[in-house]
Amino acid sequence: MVACFAAENRLASIVGKKRAANVLGQPTFRVGGGYWLRLPVFSWFTSKGVVSEANGVDPSASRDLKSEPM
């Protein structure tokens, strides 16, 4: 939510790789056979009406942070 807000309002540079966003506000139930049932309660929308659920945020600069030396 924070990255989406910052990117949409040009308040920060987002660095990294785009990943799908997952809403944490949903109950998840184990239904057997290795399957789960997830019932979303809500979705996150930006002030411009963009749904961030499963879309993530487009980074300003794409970089694989795991391969960068510290």
Side-chain angles (χ1 to χ4, degrees), residues 21-70:
N22 288 322
V23 171
L24 299 177
Q26 75 259 340
T28 304
F29 304 96
R30 195 177 296 208
V31 294
Y35 291 95
W36 294 80
L37 173 64
R38 181 177 287 180
L39 301 172
V41 177
F42 55 86
S43 291
W44 297 113
F45 291 87
T46 69
S47 61
K48 296 180 181 174
V50 176
V51 179
S52 61
E53 173 76 16
N55 292 320
V57 178
D58 289 316
S60 306
S62 181
R63 184 174 296 250
D64 185 5
L65 299 175
K66 290 182 181 178
S67 64
E68 292 293 316
M70 299 285 277

